[in-house]
Amino acid sequence: MLAITAIVSALVLQTVRSASATGLRIERHVRSTLHDRLDVNALRHAVSATLVTYSDMDGGFAGDDRQASGLTARTIGLDGEGVQPYRLTVEDEGRGSVLYYEEGGERFEVVRLPEGRLQLSYFAGRQSSDGWSADWPPAAGFVALGHGQAPYYRPIPRVLRVSGPGTEPAVDLFLGLPQTQPPRPRVSDYVEMVQ
């Protein structure tokens, strides 16, 4: 009787050990998979906290059809606190392309397009001819947007668009940027405005 109890106990312990090991492997796999992928809502929150900076500061918002960068006050990474620089990058991969978000040394995949190339564009506002630009700052400068020839701050677009090719793209994300007041002019900015 004692031998049967020992065998059953050993089988139960082995089953529990095996089940917990399988659970740990599944959890590890899910964590490693999710770590490299970023939810679109998290991206929207980070981009919506893009800061307007002085024109002579590093990190002002800039971009073209393949990448955009700026400073965000709402970081995604676990280590990030305060203001962090970020970068959105479109990279070709096979016949398609991938949008990556980079911040604080971490890199996350946001969206993948199996065929075709993703592109970034910037909505400047109703003041410009069609509103959309493939580059930021726009080629025409900030005069067309009503900010003067060379404003003391770096204006940001109203919307950043990530889209695939064609009139009905498979990927079409609109990321709103904040429309905050420009930073307060410094004394040196007033001097430059007067000259």
Side-chain angles (χ1 to χ4, degrees), residues 57-79:
M57 281 181 60
D58 290 337
F61 188 85
D64 56 30
D65 65 335
R66 302 284 294 190
Q67 68 178 359
S69 61
L71 296 174
T72 183
R74 227 180 264 148
T75 61
I76 291 175
L78 298 174
D79 300 334

Side-chain angles (χ1 to χ4, degrees), residues 46-70:
V47 171
S48 71
T50 299
L51 300 174
V52 177
T53 61
Y54 292 104
S55 59
D56 59 355
M57 281 181 60
D58 290 337
F61 188 85
D64 56 30
D65 65 335
R66 302 284 294 190
Q67 68 178 359
S69 61

